[in-house]
Coordinates of all heavy atoms in Angstrom, one line a residue:
M1 N -15.6 8.6 7.5 CA -15.7 10.0 7.3 C -14.3 10.6 7.0 O -14.2 11.5 6.2 CB -16.2 10.6 8.6 CG -16.4 12.1 8.5 SD -18.1 12.5 8.3 CE -18.0 14.2 8.3
E2 N -13.2 10.1 7.6 CA -11.9 10.6 7.4 C -11.5 10.4 5.9 O -10.9 11.3 5.3 CB -10.9 10.0 8.3 CG -9.5 10.6 8.1 CD -8.5 10.0 9.1 OE1 -8.9 9.7 10.2 OE2 -7.4 9.9 8.7
R3 N -11.9 9.3 5.3 CA -11.6 9.0 3.9 C -12.2 10.1 3.0 O -11.6 10.5 2.1 CB -12.1 7.6 3.6 CG -11.9 7.3 2.1 CD -10.5 7.0 1.8 NE -10.4 6.6 0.4 CZ -9.4 6.9 -0.3 NH1 -8.3 7.5 0.2 NH2 -9.3 6.5 -1.6
E4 N -13.5 10.5 3.3 CA -14.1 11.5 2.5 C -13.4 12.8 2.5 O -13.2 13.5 1.5 CB -15.6 11.7 3.0 CG -16.5 10.5 2.7 CD -17.8 10.7 3.3 OE1 -18.3 11.8 3.5 OE2 -18.5 9.7 3.5
I5 N -12.9 13.2 3.7 CA -12.2 14.5 3.8 C -10.9 14.4 3.0 O -10.6 15.4 2.3 CB -11.8 14.7 5.3 CG1 -13.1 15.0 6.1 CG2 -10.9 15.9 5.4 CD1 -12.9 15.1 7.6
K6 N -10.2 13.3 3.0 CA -9.0 13.2 2.2 C -9.3 13.3 0.7 O -8.6 13.9 0.0 CB -8.3 11.9 2.5 CG -7.6 11.9 3.9 CD -6.9 10.5 4.1 CE -6.3 10.5 5.5 NZ -5.6 9.3 5.8
D7 N -10.4 12.7 0.3 CA -10.8 12.7 -1.1 C -11.1 14.2 -1.5 O -10.7 14.6 -2.6 CB -12.0 11.8 -1.4 CG -11.6 10.4 -1.4 OD1 -10.4 10.1 -1.5 OD2 -12.5 9.5 -1.3
D8 N -11.8 14.9 -0.7 CA -12.1 16.3 -1.0 C -10.8 17.1 -1.2 O -10.7 18.0 -2.0 CB -12.9 17.0 0.2 CG -14.3 16.5 0.1 OD1 -14.8 15.9 -0.9 OD2 -15.1 16.8 1.1
N9 N -9.8 16.9 -0.4 CA -8.5 17.6 -0.5 C -7.8 17.4 -1.8 O -7.1 18.2 -2.3 CB -7.6 17.3 0.7 CG -8.0 17.9 2.0 OD1 -8.8 18.8 2.0 ND2 -7.6 17.3 3.1
L10 N -8.1 16.2 -2.4 CA -7.4 16.0 -3.7 C -8.0 16.8 -4.9 O -7.3 17.1 -5.8 CB -7.6 14.5 -4.1 CG -6.9 13.5 -3.1 CD1 -7.2 12.1 -3.5 CD2 -5.4 13.7 -3.2
V11 N -9.2 17.3 -4.7 CA -9.8 18.0 -5.8 C -9.4 19.5 -5.9 O -9.6 20.1 -6.9 CB -11.4 17.9 -5.8 CG1 -11.9 17.4 -7.0 CG2 -11.9 17.2 -4.6
G12 N -8.9 20.0 -4.8 CA -8.6 21.4 -4.9 C -8.9 22.1 -3.6 O -8.6 21.6 -2.5
T13 N -9.5 23.3 -3.7 CA -9.7 24.2 -2.5 C -11.1 24.1 -1.9 O -11.5 24.9 -1.1 CB -9.4 25.6 -2.9 OG1 -10.3 26.0 -4.0 CG2 -8.0 25.8 -3.3
T14 N -11.9 23.1 -2.3 CA -13.3 23.0 -1.7 C -13.2 22.5 -0.3 O -12.3 21.7 0.1 CB -14.1 22.0 -2.5 OG1 -13.5 20.7 -2.5 CG2 -14.4 22.5 -3.9
G15 N -14.1 23.0 0.5 CA -14.1 22.6 1.9 C -13.0 23.2 2.8 O -12.8 22.7 3.9
V16 N -12.3 24.2 2.3 CA -11.2 24.8 3.1 C -11.7 25.9 4.0 O -12.5 26.7 3.6 CB -10.1 25.3 2.1 CG1 -9.0 26.0 2.8 CG2 -9.5 24.2 1.3
K17 N -11.2 25.9 5.2 CA -11.5 27.0 6.1 C -11.0 28.3 5.5 O -9.9 28.4 5.1 CB -10.9 26.8 7.5 CG -11.5 25.6 8.2 CD -10.8 25.5 9.6 CE -11.3 24.3 10.3 NZ -10.5 24.1 11.5
E18 N -11.9 29.3 5.5 CA -11.5 30.6 5.0 C -10.4 31.2 5.8 O -10.4 31.2 7.0 CB -12.7 31.5 4.9 CG -12.5 32.7 4.1 CD -13.8 33.5 3.9 OE1 -14.8 32.9 3.8 OE2 -13.7 34.8 3.8
G19 N -9.4 31.7 5.2 CA -8.3 32.3 5.9 C -7.1 31.4 6.3 O -6.1 31.9 6.6
S20 N -7.3 30.1 6.1 CA -6.2 29.2 6.5 C -5.2 29.1 5.3 O -5.7 29.2 4.1 CB -6.7 27.8 6.9 OG -7.4 27.2 5.8
S21 N -3.9 29.0 5.5 CA -3.0 28.9 4.5 C -1.8 28.0 4.9 O -1.7 27.6 6.0 CB -2.4 30.3 4.1 OG -1.8 30.9 5.2
V22 N -1.0 27.7 3.9 CA 0.2 26.9 4.1 C 1.4 27.6 3.5 O 1.2 28.4 2.5 CB 0.1 25.5 3.5 CG1 -1.0 24.7 4.1 CG2 -0.1 25.5 2.0
Q23 N 2.5 27.4 4.0 CA 3.8 28.0 3.6 C 4.6 26.8 2.9 O 4.9 25.8 3.6 CB 4.5 28.6 4.7 CG 5.8 29.3 4.4 CD 5.6 30.7 4.0 OE1 4.6 31.3 4.3 NE2 6.6 31.3 3.3
I24 N 5.0 27.0 1.7 CA 5.8 26.0 1.0 C 7.1 26.7 0.6 O 7.2 27.9 0.6 CB 5.1 25.4 -0.2 CG1 4.9 26.4 -1.3 CG2 3.9 24.7 0.2 CD1 4.5 25.7 -2.6
K25 N 8.1 25.9 0.1 CA 9.3 26.4 -0.4 C 9.4 26.0 -1.9 O 9.3 24.8 -2.2 CB 10.5 25.8 0.4 CG 11.9 26.3 -0.1 CD 13.0 25.7 0.7 CE 14.3 26.3 0.4 NZ 15.4 25.7 1.2
V26 N 9.6 27.0 -2.8 CA 9.7 26.7 -4.2 C 11.1 26.7 -4.6 O 11.8 27.7 -4.2 CB 8.9 27.7 -5.0 CG1 9.0 27.4 -6.5 CG2 7.4 27.7 -4.6
L27 N 11.6 25.7 -5.3 CA 13.0 25.7 -5.8 C 13.0 25.9 -7.3 O 12.2 25.2 -8.0 CB 13.6 24.3 -5.4 CG 13.6 23.9 -4.0 CD1 14.1 22.5 -3.8 CD2 14.4 24.9 -3.1
F28 N 13.9 26.7 -7.8 CA 13.9 27.0 -9.2 C 15.2 26.4 -9.8 O 16.3 26.6 -9.2 CB 13.9 28.5 -9.5 CG 12.7 29.2 -9.0 CD1 12.7 29.8 -7.8 CD2 11.5 29.1 -9.7 CE1 11.5 30.5 -7.3 CE2 10.3 29.7 -9.3 CZ 10.4 30.4 -8.1
F29 N 15.1 25.7 -10.9 CA 16.3 25.2 -11.6 C 16.4 25.7 -13.0 O 15.4 26.0 -13.6 CB 16.2 23.6 -11.6 CG 16.3 23.0 -10.2 CD1 15.1 22.8 -9.5 CD2 17.5 22.8 -9.6 CE1 15.2 22.3 -8.2 CE2 17.6 22.2 -8.3 CZ 16.4 22.0 -7.6
A30 N 17.6 25.7 -13.5 CA 17.9 26.0 -14.9 C 17.3 27.3 -15.4 O 17.4 28.3 -14.8 CB 17.6 24.8 -15.8
K31 N 16.5 27.3 -16.5 CA 15.8 28.4 -17.0 C 14.9 29.1 -16.0 O 14.8 30.4 -16.0 CB 15.1 28.0 -18.3 CG 14.4 29.2 -19.0 CD 15.3 29.9 -19.9 CE 14.5 30.9 -20.7 NZ 15.2 31.8 -21.5
A32 N 14.2 28.4 -15.2 CA 13.3 29.0 -14.2 C 14.2 29.8 -13.2 O 13.7 30.9 -12.8 CB 12.6 27.9 -13.4
R33 N 15.3 29.4 -12.9 CA 16.2 30.1 -12.0 C 16.7 31.4 -12.7 O 16.8 32.5 -12.1 CB 17.4 29.3 -11.6 CG 18.4 30.0 -10.7 CD 19.6 29.1 -10.3 NE 19.1 28.1 -9.5 CZ 19.9 27.0 -9.1 NH1 21.1 27.0 -9.5 NH2 19.4 26.1 -8.3
D34 N 17.0 31.3 -14.0 CA 17.4 32.5 -14.8 C 16.3 33.5 -14.9 O 16.6 34.7 -14.8 CB 17.8 32.0 -16.2 CG 19.0 31.1 -16.3 OD1 19.8 31.1 -15.3 OD2 19.2 30.5 -17.3
I35 N 15.1 33.0 -15.1 CA 13.9 33.9 -15.2 C 13.6 34.7 -13.9 O 13.4 35.9 -13.9 CB 12.7 33.2 -15.7 CG1 12.9 32.8 -17.2 CG2 11.4 34.0 -15.5 CD1 11.8 31.8 -17.7
T36 N 13.7 34.0 -12.8 CA 13.3 34.6 -11.5 C 14.5 35.2 -10.8 O 14.3 36.1 -10.0 CB 12.7 33.5 -10.5 OG1 13.7 32.5 -10.3 CG2 11.5 32.9 -11.1
G37 N 15.7 34.8 -11.2 CA 16.9 35.3 -10.5 C 17.0 34.7 -9.1 O 17.8 35.2 -8.3
L38 N 16.2 33.7 -8.8 CA 16.2 33.1 -7.5 C 16.5 31.6 -7.5 O 16.2 30.9 -8.5 CB 14.8 33.2 -6.8 CG 14.3 34.6 -6.7 CD1 12.8 34.6 -6.3 CD2 15.1 35.4 -5.6
T39 N 17.1 31.0 -6.4 CA 17.3 29.6 -6.3 C 16.1 29.0 -5.6 O 15.7 27.9 -5.8 CB 18.6 29.2 -5.6 OG1 18.6 29.9 -4.3 CG2 19.8 29.6 -6.4
D40 N 15.5 29.8 -4.7 CA 14.3 29.3 -3.9 C 13.5 30.5 -3.5 O 14.0 31.7 -3.5 CB 14.7 28.4 -2.8 CG 15.6 29.1 -1.7 OD1 15.0 29.9 -0.9 OD2 16.8 28.8 -1.7
L41 N 12.3 30.2 -3.1 CA 11.4 31.3 -2.7 C 10.3 30.7 -1.7 O 9.7 29.7 -2.0 CB 10.7 31.8 -3.9 CG 9.5 32.8 -3.7 CD1 10.1 34.2 -3.4 CD2 8.7 32.9 -5.0
P42 N 10.1 31.4 -0.6 CA 8.9 30.9 0.3 C 7.7 31.4 -0.4 O 7.6 32.5 -1.0 CB 9.2 31.6 1.6 CG 10.1 32.8 1.3 CD 10.8 32.5 0.0
L43 N 6.6 30.6 -0.4 CA 5.4 30.9 -1.0 C 4.2 30.5 -0.1 O 4.1 29.4 0.4 CB 5.2 30.2 -2.4 CG 4.0 30.5 -3.2 CD1 4.1 31.9 -3.7 CD2 3.9 29.5 -4.4
E44 N 3.3 31.5 0.2 CA 2.1 31.2 1.0 C 0.9 31.1 0.1 O 0.7 31.9 -0.8 CB 1.9 32.3 2.0 CG 0.8 32.0 3.0 CD 0.7 33.1 4.1 OE1 1.7 33.7 4.4 OE2 -0.4 33.2 4.6
V45 N 0.2 30.0 0.2 CA -1.0 29.7 -0.6 C -2.1 29.2 0.3 O -1.8 28.7 1.4 CB -0.7 28.6 -1.7 CG1 0.3 29.2 -2.7 CG2 -0.2 27.3 -1.1
P46 N -3.3 29.3 -0.1 CA -4.5 28.8 0.7 C -4.4 27.3 0.9 O -3.9 26.6 0.1 CB -5.7 29.2 -0.1 CG -5.3 30.3 -1.0 CD -3.8 30.0 -1.3
S47 N -4.8 26.9 2.1 CA -4.8 25.4 2.4 C -5.7 24.7 1.3 O -6.7 25.3 0.8 CB -5.5 25.1 3.7 OG -4.7 25.6 4.7
G48 N -5.2 23.6 0.8 CA -5.9 22.8 -0.2 C -5.5 23.2 -1.6 O -6.0 22.6 -2.6
S49 N -4.5 24.1 -1.7 CA -4.0 24.5 -3.1 C -3.3 23.4 -3.7 O -2.6 22.6 -3.1 CB -3.1 25.7 -2.9 OG -3.8 26.9 -2.5
T50 N -3.4 23.4 -5.0 CA -2.6 22.4 -5.8 C -1.3 23.0 -6.3 O -1.1 24.2 -6.2 CB -3.5 21.9 -7.0 OG1 -3.7 23.1 -7.9 CG2 -4.8 21.3 -6.6
T51 N -0.5 22.1 -6.9 CA 0.8 22.6 -7.5 C 0.4 23.6 -8.6 O 1.1 24.6 -8.9 CB 1.7 21.5 -7.9 OG1 0.9 20.6 -8.8 CG2 2.2 20.7 -6.8
Q52 N -0.7 23.4 -9.3 CA -1.1 24.3 -10.4 C -1.5 25.6 -9.8 O -1.1 26.7 -10.4 CB -2.3 23.7 -11.1 CG -2.8 24.6 -12.2 CD -4.0 24.0 -13.0 OE1 -4.7 23.2 -12.6 NE2 -4.2 24.5 -14.2
D53 N -2.1 25.7 -8.7 CA -2.4 27.0 -8.0 C -1.1 27.7 -7.7 O -1.0 28.9 -7.9 CB -3.2 26.7 -6.7 CG -4.6 26.1 -7.0 OD1 -5.2 26.4 -8.0 OD2 -5.1 25.4 -6.1
C54 N -0.1 27.0 -7.2 CA 1.2 27.5 -6.9 C 1.8 28.1 -8.2 O 2.4 29.2 -8.2 CB 2.1 26.5 -6.3 SG 1.5 25.9 -4.7
L55 N 1.8 27.3 -9.3 CA 2.3 27.8 -10.5 C 1.6 29.1 -11.0 O 2.3 30.0 -11.5 CB 2.2 26.7 -11.6 CG 3.3 25.6 -11.6 CD1 3.0 24.6 -12.7 CD2 4.7 26.2 -11.8
N56 N 0.3 29.1 -10.9 CA -0.4 30.3 -11.3 C 0.0 31.5 -10.5 O 0.2 32.6 -11.1 CB -1.9 30.1 -11.1 CG -2.5 29.1 -12.0 OD1 -1.9 28.8 -13.1 ND2 -3.7 28.5 -11.7
K57 N 0.3 31.3 -9.2 CA 0.7 32.4 -8.4 C 2.1 32.9 -8.8 O 2.4 34.1 -8.8 CB 0.7 32.0 -6.9 CG 0.8 33.2 -5.9 CD 0.4 32.8 -4.5 CE 0.5 34.0 -3.6 NZ 0.0 33.7 -2.3
L58 N 3.0 31.9 -9.1 CA 4.4 32.2 -9.5 C 4.4 32.9 -10.9 O 5.1 33.9 -11.1 CB 5.2 30.9 -9.6 CG 5.5 30.3 -8.2 CD1 6.1 28.9 -8.4 CD2 6.5 31.2 -7.4
V59 N 3.5 32.5 -11.8 CA 3.5 33.1 -13.1 C 3.0 34.5 -13.0 O 3.4 35.4 -13.7 CB 2.7 32.3 -14.1 CG1 2.4 33.1 -15.4 CG2 3.4 31.0 -14.4
A60 N 2.0 34.8 -12.1 CA 1.5 36.1 -11.8 C 2.7 37.1 -11.3 O 2.7 38.2 -11.7 CB 0.4 36.1 -10.8
K61 N 3.5 36.5 -10.5 CA 4.7 37.3 -10.0 C 5.8 37.4 -11.0 O 6.5 38.4 -11.0 CB 5.1 36.6 -8.7 CG 6.2 37.4 -7.9 CD 6.4 36.9 -6.5 CE 7.4 37.8 -5.8 NZ 7.4 37.6 -4.4
Y62 N 6.1 36.3 -11.7 CA 7.1 36.3 -12.7 C 6.5 35.8 -14.1 O 6.6 34.7 -14.5 CB 8.2 35.2 -12.3 CG 8.8 35.5 -10.9 CD1 8.4 34.9 -9.8 CD2 9.8 36.5 -10.8 CE1 8.9 35.2 -8.6 CE2 10.3 36.8 -9.6 CZ 9.9 36.1 -8.4 OH 10.4 36.4 -7.2
P63 N 5.9 36.8 -14.8 CA 5.2 36.4 -16.1 C 6.1 35.7 -17.1 O 5.5 34.9 -17.9 CB 4.8 37.8 -16.6 CG 4.8 38.7 -15.4 CD 5.9 38.2 -14.5
N64 N 7.4 35.9 -17.1 CA 8.2 35.2 -18.1 C 8.3 33.7 -17.9 O 8.7 32.9 -18.7 CB 9.6 35.7 -18.1 CG 9.6 37.1 -18.8 OD1 8.7 37.5 -19.5 ND2 10.6 37.9 -18.5
L65 N 7.8 33.2 -16.7 CA 7.7 31.7 -16.4 C 6.7 31.1 -17.4 O 6.9 29.9 -17.7 CB 7.4 31.4 -15.0 CG 8.4 31.6 -13.9 CD1 7.9 31.4 -12.5 CD2 9.6 30.7 -14.2
E66 N 5.8 31.9 -17.9 CA 4.8 31.3 -18.8 C 5.4 30.7 -20.0 O 5.0 29.7 -20.6 CB 3.8 32.4 -19.2 CG 2.6 31.9 -20.0 CD 1.7 31.0 -19.2 OE1 1.3 31.4 -18.0 OE2 1.4 29.9 -19.7
E67 N 6.6 31.2 -20.5 CA 7.2 30.7 -21.7 C 7.8 29.3 -21.5 O 7.9 28.6 -22.5 CB 8.3 31.6 -22.2 CG 9.5 31.7 -21.3 CD 10.6 32.8 -21.7 OE1 10.2 33.9 -21.7 OE2 11.7 32.4 -21.9
I68 N 8.0 28.9 -20.3 CA 8.5 27.5 -20.1 C 7.5 26.6 -19.4 O 7.7 25.4 -19.2 CB 9.8 27.5 -19.3 CG1 9.6 28.1 -17.9 CG2 10.9 28.2 -20.0 CD1 10.8 27.9 -16.9
R69 N 6.3 27.2 -19.0 CA 5.3 26.4 -18.3 C 4.9 25.1 -18.9 O 4.7 24.1 -18.3 CB 4.1 27.3 -18.0 CG 3.1 26.6 -17.1 CD 2.0 27.5 -16.7 NE 1.2 26.8 -15.7 CZ 0.4 27.4 -14.9 NH1 0.2 28.7 -15.0 NH2 -0.4 26.7 -14.1
G70 N 4.8 25.1 -20.2 CA 4.3 23.9 -20.9 C 5.3 22.8 -21.0 O 5.0 21.6 -21.3
C71 N 6.6 23.0 -20.6 CA 7.6 22.0 -20.7 C 8.3 21.7 -19.4 O 9.3 20.9 -19.4 CB 8.6 22.3 -21.8 SG 9.5 23.8 -21.6
I72 N 7.8 22.3 -18.3 CA 8.5 22.0 -17.0 C 8.0 20.7 -16.4 O 6.9 20.2 -16.7 CB 8.3 23.2 -16.0 CG1 6.8 23.3 -15.7 CG2 8.9 24.4 -16.5 CD1 6.6 24.3 -14.5
V73 N 8.8 20.2 -15.5 CA 8.5 19.0 -14.7 C 8.4 19.5 -13.2 O 9.2 20.4 -12.8 CB 9.6 17.9 -14.8 CG1 9.3 16.8 -13.9 CG2 9.6 17.4 -16.3
L74 N 7.5 19.0 -12.5 CA 7.3 19.4 -11.1 C 7.7 18.3 -10.2 O 7.5 17.1 -10.5 CB 5.9 19.8 -10.8 CG 5.3 20.9 -11.6 CD1 3.8 21.0 -11.3 CD2 6.0 22.2 -11.3
A75 N 8.4 18.6 -9.1 CA 8.7 17.6 -8.0 C 8.2 18.2 -6.7 O 8.4 19.4 -6.4 CB 10.2 17.3 -8.0
L76 N 7.5 17.4 -6.0 CA 7.0 17.7 -4.7 C 7.6 16.9 -3.6 O 7.5 15.6 -3.7 CB 5.4 17.6 -4.6 CG 4.7 18.1 -3.4 CD1 4.9 19.6 -3.3 CD2 3.2 17.9 -3.5
N77 N 8.4 17.5 -2.8 CA 9.2 16.8 -1.8 C 10.1 15.7 -2.4 O 10.1 14.5 -2.0 CB 8.3 16.2 -0.7 CG 7.5 17.3 0.0 OD1 8.0 18.3 0.3 ND2 6.2 17.0 0.2
E78 N 10.8 16.1 -3.5 CA 11.8 15.2 -4.2 C 11.2 14.1 -4.9 O 11.9 13.1 -5.2 CB 12.9 14.8 -3.2 CG 13.6 15.9 -2.6 CD 14.7 15.5 -1.7 OE1 15.0 14.3 -1.5 OE2 15.4 16.4 -1.1
E79 N 9.9 14.1 -5.2 CA 9.2 13.1 -6.1 C 8.5 13.8 -7.2 O 7.7 14.7 -6.9 CB 8.3 12.2 -5.2 CG 9.0 11.3 -4.2 CD 8.0 10.4 -3.5 OE1 6.9 10.1 -4.1 OE2 8.3 9.9 -2.5
Y80 N 8.6 13.3 -8.4 CA 7.9 13.9 -9.5 C 6.4 13.8 -9.2 O 5.9 12.9 -8.6 CB 8.2 13.1 -10.8 CG 9.6 13.4 -11.3 CD1 10.5 12.3 -11.4 CD2 10.1 14.6 -11.6 CE1 11.8 12.5 -11.8 CE2 11.4 14.8 -12.0 CZ 12.2 13.8 -12.1 OH 13.5 14.0 -12.5
T81 N 5.7 14.9 -9.7 CA 4.3 15.0 -9.4 C 3.6 15.7 -10.5 O 4.2 16.1 -11.5 CB 4.1 15.8 -8.1 OG1 2.7 15.7 -7.7 CG2 4.4 17.3 -8.2
T82 N 2.2 15.9 -10.4 CA 1.4 16.5 -11.4 C 0.9 17.8 -10.9 O 1.1 18.2 -9.7 CB 0.2 15.6 -11.8 OG1 -0.6 15.5 -10.6 CG2 0.6 14.3 -12.2
E83 N 0.3 18.6 -11.8 CA -0.3 19.9 -11.4 C -1.5 19.8 -10.5 O -2.0 20.7 -9.9 CB -0.6 20.8 -12.6 CG 0.7 21.3 -13.2 CD 0.4 22.4 -14.3 OE1 -0.7 23.0 -14.3 OE2 1.3 22.7 -15.0
S84 N -2.0 18.6 -10.3 CA -3.2 18.4 -9.5 C -2.9 18.0 -8.0 O -3.8 17.8 -7.2 CB -4.1 17.3 -10.1 OG -3.5 16.1 -10.2
A85 N -1.6 17.8 -7.7 CA -1.2 17.4 -6.4 C -1.5 18.5 -5.4 O -1.2 19.7 -5.7 CB 0.2 17.0 -6.3
V86 N -2.0 18.2 -4.2 CA -2.3 19.2 -3.2 C -1.0 19.4 -2.3 O -0.4 18.5 -1.9 CB -3.4 18.8 -2.3 CG1 -3.7 19.7 -1.1 CG2 -4.7 18.6 -3.1
V87 N -0.6 20.7 -2.1 CA 0.5 21.0 -1.3 C 0.1 21.1 0.1 O -1.0 21.5 0.4 CB 1.2 22.3 -1.8 CG1 1.8 22.1 -3.2 CG2 0.3 23.5 -1.7
K88 N 1.1 20.8 1.0 CA 0.8 20.9 2.5 C 1.9 21.8 3.1 O 2.9 22.1 2.4 CB 0.9 19.5 3.1 CG -0.2 18.6 2.6 CD 0.0 17.2 3.2 CE -1.0 16.2 2.6 NZ -0.5 15.7 1.3
D89 N 1.6 22.2 4.3 CA 2.6 23.1 5.0 C 4.0 22.5 5.0 O 4.2 21.3 5.2 CB 2.1 23.4 6.4 CG 2.7 24.6 7.0 OD1 2.9 25.6 6.3 OD2 3.1 24.6 8.2
K90 N 5.0 23.3 4.7 CA 6.4 23.0 4.7 C 6.8 22.1 3.5 O 7.9 21.6 3.5 CB 6.8 22.4 6.0 CG 6.7 23.4 7.2 CD 7.2 22.8 8.5 CE 7.3 23.7 9.6 NZ 6.4 24.4 10.2
D91 N 5.9 21.9 2.5 CA 6.3 21.1 1.3 C 7.4 21.9 0.6 O 7.5 23.1 0.7 CB 5.1 20.9 0.4 CG 4.3 19.6 0.8 OD1 4.7 18.9 1.8 OD2 3.2 19.4 0.2
E92 N 8.1 21.1 -0.3 CA 9.1 21.7 -1.2 C 8.7 21.4 -2.6 O 8.6 20.2 -3.0 CB 10.4 21.1 -0.8 CG 11.6 21.8 -1.3 CD 12.9 21.2 -0.8 OE1 13.3 20.1 -1.2 OE2 13.5 21.9 0.1
L93 N 8.4 22.4 -3.4 CA 8.0 22.3 -4.8 C 9.1 22.7 -5.7 O 9.6 23.9 -5.6 CB 6.8 23.1 -5.1 CG 6.2 23.2 -6.5 CD1 5.8 21.8 -6.9 CD2 5.1 24.2 -6.6
A94 N 9.6 21.8 -6.5 CA 10.7 22.1 -7.4 C 10.2 22.3 -8.8 O 9.4 21.5 -9.3 CB 11.7 21.0 -7.4
I95 N 10.6 23.4 -9.5 CA 10.2 23.8 -10.8 C 11.5 23.4 -11.7 O 12.5 24.0 -11.6 CB 10.0 25.3 -11.0 CG1 9.0 25.8 -9.9 CG2 9.5 25.6 -12.4 CD1 7.6 25.2 -9.9
I96 N 11.3 22.4 -12.5 CA 12.4 21.8 -13.3 C 12.2 21.9 -14.8 O 11.4 21.1 -15.3 CB 12.7 20.3 -12.9 CG1 12.8 20.2 -11.4 CG2 13.9 19.8 -13.6 CD1 12.7 18.8 -10.9
P97 N 12.7 22.9 -15.4 CA 12.6 23.0 -16.9 C 13.5 22.0 -17.6 O 14.4 21.4 -16.9 CB 13.1 24.4 -17.2 CG 13.4 25.1 -15.9 CD 13.4 24.0 -14.9
P98 N 13.3 21.8 -18.9 CA 14.2 20.9 -19.6 C 15.7 21.5 -19.5 O 15.8 22.7 -19.6 CB 13.7 20.8 -21.0 CG 12.6 21.8 -21.1 CD 12.3 22.3 -19.7
I99 N 16.6 20.6 -19.3 CA 18.0 21.0 -19.3 C 18.6 20.9 -20.7 O 18.4 19.9 -21.3 CB 18.8 20.2 -18.3 CG1 18.1 20.0 -17.0 CG2 20.2 20.7 -18.2 CD1 18.2 21.2 -16.1
S100 N 19.2 22.0 -21.2 CA 19.9 21.9 -22.5 C 21.3 22.2 -22.4 O 21.8 22.8 -21.4 CB 19.2 22.8 -23.5 OG 19.3 24.2 -23.0
G101 N 22.0 21.9 -23.4 CA 23.5 22.2 -23.4 C 24.3 21.0 -23.7 O 23.7 19.9 -24.0
G102 N 25.5 21.1 -23.7 CA 26.3 20.0 -24.1 C 27.6 20.0 -23.5 O 28.4 19.5 -23.1

């Protein structure tokens, strides 16, 4: 039974208790830092949220992030990840745009 619960958490927000949430820390690098004016930000999202859900919430708050969304790399707790990864309480999500310059 425990295995089934873990699998459900991978798909998104299904089976989540209404009203429960997690607090994560979002780190901004390069152009993302320029757009938001922040190095980091606490973010509260519903339990079972994916990194994509977090990005959606961030883009709603900082619409200019949309211009780099297609080329950013995500890291969850210092490991590269995808937009389908589920975030947990106290996770650290890094938004890493391509670095340019010379």
Side-chain angles (χ1 to χ4, degrees):
M1 179 107 178
E2 185 176 325
R3 177 73 178 146
E4 290 175 22
I5 293 170
K6 287 180 182 177
D7 286 344
D8 283 347
N9 286 339
L10 295 175
V11 237
T13 57
T14 56
V16 173
K17 291 180 186 174
E18 196 170 324
S20 62
S21 63
V22 296
Q23 182 89 18
I24 66 166
K25 182 178 184 179
V26 181
L27 304 175
F28 299 100
F29 294 93
K31 180 83 172 175
R33 182 180 291 173
D34 295 341
I35 290 170
T36 62
L38 301 168
T39 55
D40 61 77
L41 172 79
L43 184 68
E44 187 173 333
V45 293
S47 294
S49 292
T50 63
T51 54
Q52 180 177 20
D53 297 328
C54 297
L55 277 177
N56 291 341
K57 192 166 184 173
L58 290 167
V59 168
K61 187 169 183 162
Y62 303 98
N64 288 340
L65 285 174
E66 189 66 49
E67 69 187 59
I68 61 169
R69 186 171 185 162
C71 59
I72 61 171
V73 175
L74 300 174
L76 190 59
N77 301 320
E78 300 182 2
E79 291 187 22
Y80 291 118
T81 191
T82 65
E83 288 193 15
S84 62
V86 175
V87 297
K88 298 179 187 78
D89 198 43
K90 297 186 169 67
D91 275 356
E92 199 172 73
L93 176 64
I95 311 295
I96 310 166
I99 311 281
S100 63

